[in-house]
Amino acid sequence: MKFCIFGAGGTGGVLAAYLAMAGNDVTLIARGNHLAAIREQGLTLHTNHRGTEVIKNLTACTAAEYEDVPDVCFVCVKYYNIEDAIDFAREKLGKDTLIVPVLNVFGTGGMMQEKLPELTCLDGCIYVMGQIEAPGVIYQSDKMLRVIYGYRPGQEQKLLPIAQELEKVLQAAEIRGHFSDNIIRDALQKFAYVSPAGAAGAYFNVTSDKLQQEGPEREMFAGLIREVVALGKAMGIAFERDLVETGLSIMDVLKPGSTTSMQRDILRGGKSEFAGLVTRVVELGETYHVPVPLYQKINEWGKEHLQLHG
């Protein structure tokens, strides 16, 4: 299968590496020193579970240079760069490409579809722990790697054969791919972990160690999950599992010292996904008349203490 991976950070870099190692045709859209290093030396994937791999059978280029027609385009940028992905799709992609955003923020696919009515944008999510370790080097700190994607309710199922085949291609690449028949539920289940983890971690400025121990940090994390679950129920979503229990179990197996990408962005003093992971929940609470006092507390803290960029 031919892939375009838009965004070469921890998410896009890991996906590109696994897909290329499985023999797929992969082009990674990158920029700056990271792009230069990949072009010169290949993409290096550093892991704890499979050692270090140097992948040279992929192409890396800028968004402006891309001129191919992929079967699938995975959008792997941060939420604050989503307009770049939309512009890229509008200029470079066509009706034959399935677009699958796997951002942290819930509902990104639907938002992209509204702005790209002629294209096919699914919704999706990914479970992965990855980050840029150095130019051209991606560090995958945990072997967890799962991609879930699907059509939204009522969405015309254009390019269905590609969507069906994608599940097999992902699994052949040692990625736990799942073509979901209820992507809204599945994406919100993922959001119910990553948003509370990022919000609690940033608010208390702590790593996974503190969230793995009994105390106010863990209580906040669990309480935030409950607020997302309440929102989901108001949306008519029936969850198949206890998301608090699931979220705590995911947290408890993380490597000590782990942080979320939002926390790392905040500590660097740059743009972060705070608006998409925290403020958006407050707005959804207002829309669905669901109290979210913990999110409101963290949102107010963010307005006061962070230089919010979106």
Side-chain angles (χ1 to χ4, degrees):
M1 217 172 210
K2 184 176 289 189
F3 289 92
C4 172
I5 312 293
F6 188 83
T11 297
V14 170
L15 275 181
Y18 277 75
L19 289 167
M21 286 189 292
N24 294 288
D25 182 336
V26 178
T27 300
L28 187 57
I29 306 298
R31 58 190 178 186
N33 293 337
H34 194 44
L35 171 59
I38 296 169
R39 278 176 161 163
E40 184 176 341
Q41 304 164 3
L43 176 67
T44 299
L45 179 69
H46 170 207
T47 77
N48 299 318
H49 60 282
R50 62 185 296 164
T52 298
E53 307 266 7
V54 180
I55 300 99
K56 295 189 176 181
N57 64 320
L58 57 74
T59 302
C61 67
T62 65
E65 292 168 338
Y66 188 74
E67 295 295 344
D68 212 337
V69 181
D71 299 300
V72 176
C73 177
F74 278 113
V75 177
C76 304
V77 296
K78 297 289 181 69
Y79 185 67
Y80 49 78
N81 286 328
I82 191 62
E83 290 299 328
D84 293 341
I86 291 169
D87 289 344
F88 172 79
R90 186 180 291 120
E91 294 171 14
K92 300 288 187 174
L93 303 180
K95 295 181 180 181
D96 296 328
T97 297
L98 195 68
I99 302 170
V100 184
V102 287
L103 281 69
N104 283 329
V105 177
F106 174 73
T108 306
M111 185 267 282
M112 289 188 68
Q113 186 69 78
E114 287 181 10
K115 298 189 176 186
L116 299 165
E118 299 302 315
L119 305 182
T120 302
C121 301
L122 274 58
D123 259 298
C125 61
I126 186 169
Y127 291 82
V128 64
M129 297 288 290
Q131 63 188 88
I132 297 176
E133 188 173 54
V137 182
I138 299 294
Y139 175 45
Q140 184 189 6
S141 59
D142 188 276
K143 66 180 180 180
M144 170 178 61
L145 181 53
R146 187 180 182 203
V147 172
I148 307 170
Y149 64 96
Y151 295 89
R152 292 174 299 281
Q155 181 180 9
E156 185 180 353
Q157 295 193 356
K158 296 178 182 177
L159 305 177
L160 180 60
I162 296 176
Q164 292 170 328
E165 181 66 19
L166 177 59
E167 182 178 66
K168 300 173 187 174
V169 172
L170 290 170
Q171 291 174 359
E174 299 183 44
I175 299 167
R176 291 180 60 199
H178 177 56
F179 181 24
S180 171
D181 60 3
N182 194 338
I183 190 58
I184 301 301
R185 176 200 65 204
D186 291 340
L188 193 60
Q189 283 183 177
K190 192 269 174 119
F191 186 78
Y193 169 78
V194 70
S195 168
Y203 179 73
F204 287 107
N205 191 24
V206 295
T207 63
S208 56
D209 310 49
K210 274 290 186 181
L211 298 174
Q212 291 166 344
Q213 304 166 10
E214 294 301 329
E217 297 88 354
R218 189 175 177 89
E219 289 175 12
M220 172 72 84
F221 174 55
L224 291 166
I225 297 175
R226 292 187 186 97
E227 291 184 358
V228 176
V229 169
L231 272 173
K233 289 180 178 177
M235 295 176 190
I237 297 172
F239 295 108
E240 296 180 323
R241 63 191 76 169
D242 183 330
L243 296 194
V244 175
E245 183 180 306
T246 300
L248 291 173
S249 66
I250 293 173
M251 180 62 67
D252 289 345
V253 298
L254 288 185
K255 180 183 176 184
S258 297
T259 56
T260 66
S261 61
M262 184 177 81
Q263 286 176 262
R264 295 191 293 271
D265 288 340
I266 288 172
L267 288 172
R268 282 193 289 263
K271 294 180 179 181
S272 81
E273 293 183 303
F274 190 93
L277 293 177
V278 177
T279 307
R280 178 165 170 77
V281 179
V282 174
E283 294 168 350
L284 287 170
E286 294 170 355
T287 299
Y288 288 94
H289 308 291
V290 174
V292 288
L294 296 178
Y295 271 101
Q296 287 176 326
K297 180 178 182 178
I298 294 176
N299 193 49
E300 290 303 316
W301 166 82
K303 288 179 181 178
E304 184 177 350
H305 292 90
L306 303 179
Q307 186 179 353
L308 298 181
H309 299 269

